[in-house]
Amino acid sequence: MNKTKKMSILFATIGILAFSLIPAVSAGVPGHMKERPTYNNLAAPWFPWIPDDLPFSASEDLYFRMGWYTSPEEIEEDIAPKHPWKIKLFINDEEINLQRFGFIGDKVKVSFWYHVFGPGYFEAGGEYLLRWEFWVRRPYMGDGLNHWRIMVDHWGLYLPMGAEWCFEYYLNIVA
């Protein structure tokens, strides 16, 4: 094999490897996640404007979706963590593998994590404890840490001072 052919194969291999490392988040919002009703999002009871006992139908297409973005001002003022972030989801202490998508808005990076459970995943009347956690890696709010950990609101800006971004609640699953 001549030298030119070897170099072409080498560059093709490196190119394929490089493209395989580009995260799926660069693809934008998946089509099946664009028009999902809020009342089927298992994250809904966490939002203050939705009742805690919101019933979810076991026969409907249920999903979990939660997102995060940080503005340049928040990063500049050291209020919020810089990328990367991740959300972890657990149901009855079993970790659920989340997919991620995102986009770049007006100077902000937006990331969403989701999992589609679909009809029949949950049983009506079953006891399901949902817990989600927001994990960060970079230093923020002057903590100086640079490793993966659950976000703590050091200043009490979003939650009570010192509270971890770890939320849990029981799902109300009906027929």
Side-chain angles (χ1 to χ4, degrees), residues 159-175:
L159 298 172
M161 187 179 294
E164 286 188 333
W165 279 68
C166 178
F167 305 93
E168 64 179 33
Y169 45 87
Y170 284 95
L171 298 175
N172 181 10
I173 306 292
V174 298

Side-chain angles (χ1 to χ4, degrees), residues 73-146:
E73 294 79 23
E74 289 173 317
I75 291 174
E76 219 173 88
E77 295 171 19
D78 196 31
I79 293 172
K82 300 171 188 70
H83 188 267
W85 327 286
K86 61 183 166 185
I87 289 181
K88 291 186 176 189
L89 174 66
F90 302 86
I91 295 184
N92 293 343
D93 289 325
E94 180 184 329
E95 186 168 3
I96 306 298
N97 185 31
L98 297 177
Q99 300 288 321
R100 182 171 65 106
F101 69 88
F103 53 89
I104 304 296
D106 186 29
K107 298 183 182 179
V108 296
K109 179 176 180 138
V110 182
S111 292
F112 285 92
W113 293 264
Y114 72 95
H115 184 85
V116 177
F117 293 95
Y121 182 89
F122 298 99
E123 292 181 18
E127 190 168 281
Y128 299 99
L129 178 63
L130 182 143
R131 182 178 82 241
W132 68 268
E133 303 166 345
F134 180 60
W135 286 66
V136 297
R137 191 172 85 189
R138 303 257 195 263
Y140 68 99
M141 294 185 181
D143 69 5
L145 302 173
N146 198 19

